[in-house]
Amino acid sequence: MPVKSYSIAESKALMDRYEAVLVRGYAPHKNLSGMLQKGYPVFIDRAEGARFWDVDGNGYLDYLMGFGPIVLGYDDPAVCEAVREQMARGTVYNTAHPRELKVAELLVDAIPGAEMVGFFIGGSAATSSAVRLSRAYTGREKVIRCGYHGWHDWARPGDVGVPEQVGALTLSVPYGDLDALEECLKAHDNQVACLVMETIQEAGPPEGFLQGCVDLAHASGALCVFDETKVGFRVAFGGAGEYYGVTPDIATFGKACCNGYPGSLIVGRKEVLGAEACRSVWMTATAHGDPLSLTATETVMGELKRRDGIAYQWKIGNRLMEGVNAVCEEAGLSYHLVGVGPMPRPQMDEGDQDRCMDMLRGCLARGFYLHPTHPMFLSLAHTEEDIEQTIEAIRESIADLDD
Ligand SMILES: Cc1ncc(COP(=O)(O)O)c(C=O)c1O
């Protein structure tokens, strides 16, 4: 397929104005300047299904999907209709509403180990609530984190603007290393309230790792929190905990649970979440339990079940990984995908980065948006044909490298 002339001039022009008025740190994960330098578009005009169009009019098959939330597709008709109906009935109420109860009961039914539920806005609020609840439950203050858990103070020790005393309460351990975790717990004996573990990192958890996290945390009197923000409603409804058959004390969800609406949630054991010590923990915000996000969650759950959506994500994700890896290996390009089907993670050798980036730019020009470093996300709007075309676009872009 010949590549049309490709321009991101309008993205560049808007970026000049953007930097003058937008506060720098409010969305640094998008790395707009860096991505622009790499040749990626940084302003989106609209999105539909598994595709988006940038402000220059270029269309792309998307593999980032809003950094993960879009699991059904950008404009999934079932979510759009349900949310529109709810919008007409109100977007924030001053009391509880029946859908809160209904969705909580659906989650308790769907997720192993879920006995109580809390609703929040944004994944950071969900993980922070799990930390505060754990501190209240155990009467301890230190937290061990592993992975990315959001932007709140406890999760960003050492960052500019985070008080040193607050940062000192957060310890970190490497992923997949139970010995390091055991050592850390020992070194802070009787002080750790919880371990917060991002369940799927790198190529996924080593055998027995997640159960080991729960067991070691419990042996030291701490709670174990699984941060399922990226993989909940993807590898299984209950994320990696359900997929690998391990039940934490608390699990946190965001992103895909609302197909792009801002809600997030926690589930966990009643013995913890319903304990006297946890009943007075203050975690409220005006929009927590907002009817639009809950409508989206209810619809996402229904659609994933009706369309066997978890299995579908695995099927197309596995095919993408297998096809991309075969093409790149055959061509001697180090770009490859690791991890789990619903969330493949790109990797490339340091010495081969220029060629890999040229290949990815070739894909962009052909209408395929593959982020160079961030895990990718599949959706129910990606067709099997889309996957085959992506593999073909990579093959063609590799062929261009030698021209
Ligand atoms: C594993 C994990 N936890 C927590 C968060 C924070 O969620 P949010 O950005 O919605 O606050 C993220 C966001 O990427 C995440 O990937």
Side-chain angles (χ1 to χ4, degrees), residues 302-376:
E303 288 298 289
L304 285 177
K305 275 192 193 141
R306 187 178 71 78
R307 297 163 64 185
D308 204 7
I310 301 286
Y312 184 71
Q313 291 177 69
W314 277 98
K315 180 180 171 188
I316 58 172
N318 283 341
R319 169 64 193 137
L320 181 74
M321 288 173 72
E322 173 205 22
V324 169
N325 290 347
V327 164
C328 291
E329 198 180 318
E330 193 186 297
L333 191 74
S334 71
Y335 181 87
H336 62 285
L337 302 175
V338 300
V340 292
M343 191 179 74
R345 185 181 291 267
Q347 290 185 346
M348 54 183 94
D349 292 351
E350 222 170 295
D352 194 28
Q353 272 185 6
D354 289 350
R355 291 177 75 231
C356 292
M357 287 309 304
D358 281 344
M359 181 277 284
L360 292 176
R361 277 187 285 270
C363 289
L364 280 178
R366 288 176 167 83
F368 296 84
Y369 185 96
L370 300 148
H371 195 281
T373 53
H374 199 276
M376 300 158 75

Side-chain angles (χ1 to χ4, degrees), residues 196-269:
V196 186
M197 175 58 59
E198 184 179 347
T199 48
I200 297 190
Q201 302 178 44
E202 300 163 12
E207 177 86 29
F209 175 68
L210 293 177
Q211 187 62 55
C213 289
V214 174
D215 294 345
L216 286 174
H218 287 179
S220 75
L223 297 179
C224 185
V225 176
F226 280 177
D227 180 348
E228 307 275 18
T229 310
K230 281 197 197 79
V231 294
F233 291 57
R234 287 192 171 277
V235 299
F237 272 113
E242 178 180 345
Y243 184 73
Y244 295 103
V246 183
T247 306
D249 299 294
I250 303 173
T252 78
F253 297 82
K255 300 203 187 249
C257 74
C258 293
N259 202 56
Y261 287 83
S264 61
L265 58 101
I266 62 168
V267 304
R269 294 200 294 126

Side-chain angles (χ1 to χ4, degrees), residues 17 37 54 65 114 123 150 159 182 195 251 318 331 372 378 386 391:
R17 283 167 47 202
Q37 270 171 21
D54 69 16
M65 304 307 281
D159 265 15
E182 191 169 17
L195 162 68
N318 283 341
L378 281 301
D386 284 336
I391 296 164

Side-chain angles (χ1 to χ4, degrees), residues 5-15 32-43 52 54-60 361 364-365 369:
S5 70
Y6 177 70
S7 163
I8 52 169
E10 188 58 22
S11 262
K12 283 189 183 132
L14 292 181
M15 196 61 213
L32 298 181
S33 302
M35 291 298 280
L36 194 61
Q37 270 171 21
K38 289 184 168 71
Y40 278 70
V42 292
F43 279 86
F52 73 85
D54 69 16
V55 289
D56 286 276
N58 305 302
Y60 308 87
R361 277 187 285 270
L364 280 178
Y369 185 96

Side-chain angles (χ1 to χ4, degrees), residues 18-349:
Y18 186 93
E19 299 223 299
V21 288
L22 273 301
V23 175
R24 198 59 184 265
Y26 96 102
H29 65 296
K30 293 180 180 165
N31 184 20
L32 298 181
S33 302
M35 291 298 280
L36 194 61
Q37 270 171 21
K38 289 184 168 71
Y40 278 70
V42 292
F43 279 86
I44 292 181
D45 178 41
R46 69 191 171 89
E48 198 180 299
R51 289 178 163 71
F52 73 85
W53 286 263
D54 69 16
V55 289
D56 286 276
N58 305 302
Y60 308 87
L61 180 68
D62 192 2
Y63 283 105
L64 193 55
M65 304 307 281
F67 281 85
I70 310 300
V71 66
L72 298 181
Y74 279 105
D75 61 341
D76 180 75
V79 176
C80 287
E81 193 186 324
V83 166
R84 228 178 272 124
E85 243 171 58
Q86 177 57 51
M87 209 182 286
R89 298 164 63 96
T91 55
V92 177
Y93 297 141
N94 44 15
T95 69
H97 55 105
R99 205 188 298 264
E100 242 173 297
L101 185 57
K102 185 176 176 193
V103 177
E105 287 172 348
L106 282 174
L107 289 161
V108 165
D109 279 350
I111 299 179
E115 294 171 338
M116 292 188 93
V117 179
F119 295 114
F120 302 88
I121 293 290
S124 301
T127 56
S128 297
S129 78
V131 166
R132 192 171 291 178
L133 286 161
S134 300
R135 284 174 166 158
Y137 184 77
T138 59
R140 301 170 173 185
E141 291 196 335
K142 290 189 180 166
V143 172
I144 303 177
R145 64 153 191 179
C146 179
Y148 179 74
H149 308 295
W151 69 276
H152 292 173
D153 284 357
W154 75 268
R156 304 293 306 170
D159 265 15
V160 177
V162 174
E164 227 176 280
Q165 295 95 322
V166 176
L169 295 175
T170 299
L171 315 161
S172 300
V173 290
Y175 185 66
D177 187 343
L178 288 176
D179 292 339
L181 174 60
E182 191 169 17
E183 234 169 74
C184 184
L185 284 162
K186 260 195 206 136
H188 301 270
D189 196 24
N190 282 319
Q191 299 170 64
V192 175
C194 62
L195 162 68
V196 186
M197 175 58 59
E198 184 179 347
T199 48
I200 297 190
Q201 302 178 44
E202 300 163 12
E207 177 86 29
F209 175 68
L210 293 177
Q211 187 62 55
C213 289
V214 174
D215 294 345
L216 286 174
H218 287 179
S220 75
L223 297 179
C224 185
V225 176
F226 280 177
D227 180 348
E228 307 275 18
T229 310
K230 281 197 197 79
V231 294
F233 291 57
R234 287 192 171 277
V235 299
F237 272 113
E242 178 180 345
Y243 184 73
Y244 295 103
V246 183
T247 306
D249 299 294
I250 303 173
T252 78
F253 297 82
K255 300 203 187 249
C257 74
C258 293
N259 202 56
Y261 287 83
S264 61
L265 58 101
I266 62 168
V267 304
R269 294 200 294 126
K270 198 172 216 143
E271 191 193 328
V272 174
L273 298 181
E276 200 49 42
C278 289
R279 291 176 75 89
S280 50
V281 173
W282 187 265
M283 304 175 286
T284 193
T286 306
H288 282 175
D290 77 293
L292 297 187
S293 293
L294 290 180
T295 300
T297 301
E298 183 183 344
T299 314
V300 168
M301 292 182 79
E303 288 298 289
L304 285 177
K305 275 192 193 141
R306 187 178 71 78
R307 297 163 64 185
D308 204 7
I310 301 286
Y312 184 71
Q313 291 177 69
W314 277 98
K315 180 180 171 188
I316 58 172
N318 283 341
R319 169 64 193 137
L320 181 74
M321 288 173 72
E322 173 205 22
V324 169
N325 290 347
V327 164
C328 291
E329 198 180 318
E330 193 186 297
L333 191 74
S334 71
Y335 181 87
H336 62 285
L337 302 175
V338 300
V340 292
M343 191 179 74
R345 185 181 291 267
Q347 290 185 346
M348 54 183 94
D349 292 351

